[in-house]
Amino acid sequence: MHVPDGFIDAPVSAVTGVVAAGAVAVSLRGARRELDERTAPLAGLVAAFIFAVQMLNFPVAAGTSGHLLGGALAAILVGPYTGVLCVSVVLLMQGVLFADGGLTALGVNITDMALVTTVVAYAIFRTIVKLAPHRRRTVTVASFVAALVSVPAAAVAFTAIYALGGTADVAIGKVFAAMVGVHVLIGIGEAAITALTVGAVVAVRPDLVYGARGVTAPPLEIRDSPLAPAAPGAVARAGAPAAEPSTATSESPVTSEAPASETSATREASATREAAAVPQRSARRVWFAGLAAALLCAGVVSFYASASPDGLEKVAHDKGIDAKEEDHAAKDSPLADYGVKDISDARLSGGLAGVIGVGATLAVGSGVFIVVRRRRATAESGRS
């Protein structure tokens, strides 16, 4: 759904640029509360993984393909504010290095693909998690539904932006019907990828999934006596014998019932205290596994991706939205169109471009999130 230059006129592009800049600024502040020593490097990895999986276009209809947008996945794994930044970093790298998505349309793309998808997906995800039983399966199901809805929501947002600033004379009703129709199908693929990824991480390290906090964390119980029997998942006081590990299955409820008067803020604060009480485990293995998966997707699997135009490209061609499309300012980039210039072998050219893209996105994303985390640490030390 990368919008190229020329689809949207200058005034509306400028307005969406302001909206995008404001969203990034707010997200930079909000991400300070979401990131810690372990999750800051993982957020950079999430951005790199989204970049890699976006190269894997999958067929959705005759002559049309789709790819991951990533807003739902990022929001659930690392938080909504950090999620907006993850997708924004991906869009920036794609536009600057690979001539994918116009530079003058960068504000449109960030507003549509980073802001709208993340906000819609996370709102739906949190609603389902609050209403459904607190089980690990709930996190996976909520991820599926949130991702499924976020894609047509982005299609609706694009239609609204086009209604305000479209450069071609096309009936908005036709644009709406075509965009939403094809992106409902793409949303199914997005939902499957998101649910599988979130489910896999929750299965091995639920403590690293932002959206699973307070859902998969074991209840905190303080033992008053070293002779008192330990409940599953209990945390002992200093000097008391450690509790036996929980034997509960992944399908059993993992949190106790909250009082009716307990607020959402209270539950989140309680979950934070519970997580702090549990010894921190290294996320190094998860980081390396995620990096390997991203490199495999971008460097190898991407060669087998569908060559059909994606949803927006197909609709733009069929409905005439692309009548005034402009050449990308970076069309002569050495990595334009996800291939390395002057390398004739298509498999090698595309694979190498994908690996370079993963590395560049990981470096930029990790740098941003580590700086954000350090600013939080500096602010906390200044208050103490």
Side-chain angles (χ1 to χ4, degrees):
M1 197 186 286
H2 295 75
V3 179
D5 294 320
F7 275 29
I8 308 297
D9 63 24
V12 174
S13 294
V15 171
T16 56
V18 172
V19 172
V24 169
V26 171
S27 297
L28 284 169
R29 294 183 62 86
R32 296 183 191 178
R33 299 191 297 271
E34 296 173 346
L35 297 172
D36 56 31
E37 294 82 356
R38 296 179 305 159
T39 57
L42 287 174
L45 177 62
V46 169
F49 183 78
I50 290 173
F51 172 90
V53 179
Q54 282 195 2
M55 294 182 66
L56 309 182
N57 280 47
F58 48 85
V60 294
T64 310
S65 70
H67 62 73
L68 182 81
L69 298 185
L73 179 62
I76 295 165
L77 287 179
V78 292
Y81 294 106
T82 309
V84 170
L85 297 178
C86 283
V87 182
S88 297
V89 168
V90 172
L91 293 171
L92 177 63
M93 302 307 294
Q94 290 170 332
V96 172
L97 296 180
F98 298 91
D100 189 11
L103 295 182
T104 62
L106 184 59
V108 175
N109 285 319
I110 290 177
T111 300
D112 192 26
M113 295 176 64
L115 180 59
V116 171
T117 59
T118 301
V119 170
V120 170
Y122 197 70
I124 293 172
F125 175 84
R126 290 307 306 172
T127 299
I128 296 174
V129 165
K130 287 180 180 179
L131 297 177
H134 281 190
R135 295 173 177 152
R136 291 185 179 181
R137 179 177 291 181
T138 298
V139 177
T140 304
V141 172
S143 301
F144 184 94
V145 176
L148 176 65
V149 177
S150 70
V151 177
V156 172
F158 169 79
T159 304
I161 294 172
Y162 193 84
L164 295 173
T167 56
D169 187 13
V170 181
I172 297 302
K174 294 182 178 180
V175 176
F176 176 85
M179 284 292 293
V180 173
V182 71
H183 283 90
V184 166
L185 299 178
I186 295 173
I188 297 173
E190 175 106 9
I193 295 171
T194 301
L196 287 172
T197 305
V198 171
V201 180
V202 166
V204 295
R205 289 295 301 272
D207 57 305
L208 297 179
V209 179
Y210 183 89
R213 295 178 182 176
V215 179
T216 60
L220 176 65
E221 294 185 12
I222 303 300
R223 294 171 54 191
D224 293 326
S225 169
L227 300 178
V235 178
R237 285 178 175 169
E244 291 295 325
S246 173
T247 58
T249 65
S250 62
E251 294 306 313
S252 63
V254 288
T255 57
S256 57
E257 291 293 332
S261 60
E262 187 178 18
T263 65
S264 175
T266 303
R267 286 193 297 270
E268 291 183 3
S270 176
T272 301
R273 289 194 299 270
E274 292 168 6
V278 178
Q280 298 294 304
R281 297 167 57 193
S282 172
R284 185 174 300 176
R285 290 185 179 180
V286 174
W287 192 92
F288 280 113
L291 178 59
L295 291 173
L296 179 65
C297 289
V300 179
V301 183
S302 62
F303 181 77
Y304 303 98
S306 173
S308 300
D310 70 16
L312 177 57
E313 291 175 321
K314 180 66 172 176
V315 171
H317 177 73
D318 292 347
K319 304 302 179 183
I321 295 175
D322 58 356
K324 297 186 179 181
E325 180 179 352
E326 300 173 0
D327 289 337
H328 199 287
K331 66 177 182 177
D332 296 324
S333 165
L335 299 173
D337 297 323
Y338 297 93
V340 178
K341 191 175 182 180
D342 298 330
I343 294 182
S344 57
D345 185 280
R347 187 190 299 268
L348 178 60
S349 176
L352 184 57
V355 170
I356 293 172
V358 168
T361 305
L362 178 64
V364 173
S366 297
V368 169
F369 297 124
I370 290 173
V371 168
V372 170
R373 168 58 191 165
R374 286 178 178 175
R375 291 189 63 181
R376 171 186 171 178
T378 301
E380 290 175 347
S381 63
R383 290 194 298 268
S384 61

